[in-house]
Amino acid sequence: MATAESQGFRGLLKLSLPDLPYDYDALEPAISGEIMRLHHQKHHLAYVTNYNKALDQLDDAVSTGDAATVVKLQSAIKFNGGGHVNHTIFWKNLAPVKEGGGEPPKGPLSAAIDNEFGSLEALIQKMNAEGAAVQGSGWVWLGVDKELKRLVVDTTMNQDPLVTKGSNLVPLLGIDVWEHAYYLQYKNARPDYLKNIWNVMNWRYASQVYDKECP
Ligand code: MN3
């Protein structure tokens, strides 16, 4: 939201926490309401708050010519800014079953998946295997290389957005494999979380992004 007090760094807007496009419990039983509430209200909010704090400090450091502090702030900006970017996509990547969650992709994206991976099932198996293999915290992505017009599966560590793996990469779907995304419900069984999340995957959103990048 654009308010006067939200303006800090050179008049640019600070971030604010976006609303979820569904209720917290709308993705059950795949993802519990308790996880969704904490993930959105605590984790995502912390990225927003800490990014804004870093921008304030950057504003001060830039205006006093404090290059050492400008450099020092880069990791906080990358981590918290990336957390906001990734979670903003993640909420849109999910949808309640009654709103099309889990419905397989159609049209050009479906054809591109078959062409690149053989089948939707093969893509899901590949993403689940790569997501399960992420050491520590990170993300597994389905993206499109907008120059080559090709689908790619890749992983990123911590809160690095997909674009850190290549400037032409645009995320279609990202799955958060941080423990905070599943632990309350699935404990240490990340593969079970990965298996069930496809029941609420929003392929309509992925198709919209794909159609925009590969018209
Ligand atoms: Mn998360």
Side-chain angles (χ1 to χ4, degrees):
M1 205 189 332
T3 60
E5 61 271 21
S6 73
Q7 291 182 357
F9 184 66
R10 300 275 162 175
L12 294 178
L13 291 180
K14 298 276 192 68
L15 299 179
S16 58
L17 184 67
D19 289 334
L20 285 194
Y22 36 74
D23 292 337
Y24 288 119
D25 60 3
L27 304 179
E28 291 185 353
I31 305 175
S32 74
E34 187 187 18
I35 287 179
M36 291 301 293
R37 182 183 300 276
L38 286 169
H39 202 170
H40 181 250
Q41 291 185 352
K42 303 290 183 189
H43 293 276
H44 190 167
L45 182 62
Y47 300 125
V48 166
T49 302
N50 291 326
Y51 176 87
N52 288 338
K53 203 180 289 175
L55 281 197
D56 275 336
Q57 292 168 346
L58 182 63
D59 195 13
D60 289 345
V62 168
S63 62
T64 57
D66 181 355
T69 299
V70 170
V71 172
K72 186 182 132 199
L73 287 165
Q74 300 309 305
S75 68
I77 291 168
K78 184 182 182 191
F79 181 78
N80 293 294
H84 174 69
V85 167
N86 290 344
H87 287 83
T88 299
I89 296 167
F90 184 60
W91 310 135
K92 294 183 208 164
N93 283 161
L94 304 172
V97 170
K98 65 176 190 298
E99 289 165 28
E103 225 172 70
K106 299 177 193 139
L109 176 58
S110 176
I113 289 169
D114 289 346
N115 188 43
E116 194 67 43
F117 304 104
S119 67
L120 178 62
E121 191 48 44
L123 165 65
I124 289 172
Q125 279 180 19
K126 182 176 171 62
M127 288 184 68
N128 286 359
E130 294 200 17
V134 170
Q135 292 186 339
S137 299
W139 294 75
V140 58
W141 301 95
L142 172 66
V144 62
D145 184 312
K146 61 186 179 183
E147 290 301 313
L148 302 176
K149 311 286 184 197
R150 282 187 72 169
L151 296 175
V152 292
V153 169
D154 209 341
T155 59
T156 57
M157 298 304 293
N158 301 311
Q159 293 299 355
D160 290 357
L162 180 60
V163 75
T164 60
K165 288 293 189 84
S167 58
N168 294 327
L169 296 179
V170 177
L172 303 181
L173 293 178
I175 302 177
D176 188 341
V177 297
W178 281 59
E179 281 191 346
H180 69 225
Y182 59 87
Y183 201 85
L184 285 174
Q185 183 177 356
Y186 292 94
K187 305 297 185 285
N188 58 327
R190 188 193 286 176
D192 292 346
Y193 156 73
L194 286 166
K195 182 167 161 262
N196 288 346
I197 200 169
W198 297 100
N199 296 333
V200 288
M201 200 58 84
N202 186 356
W203 286 105
R204 293 177 192 176
Y205 170 80
S207 287
Q208 283 167 9
V209 178
Y210 182 78
D211 291 346
K212 186 168 156 261
E213 299 299 339
C214 299

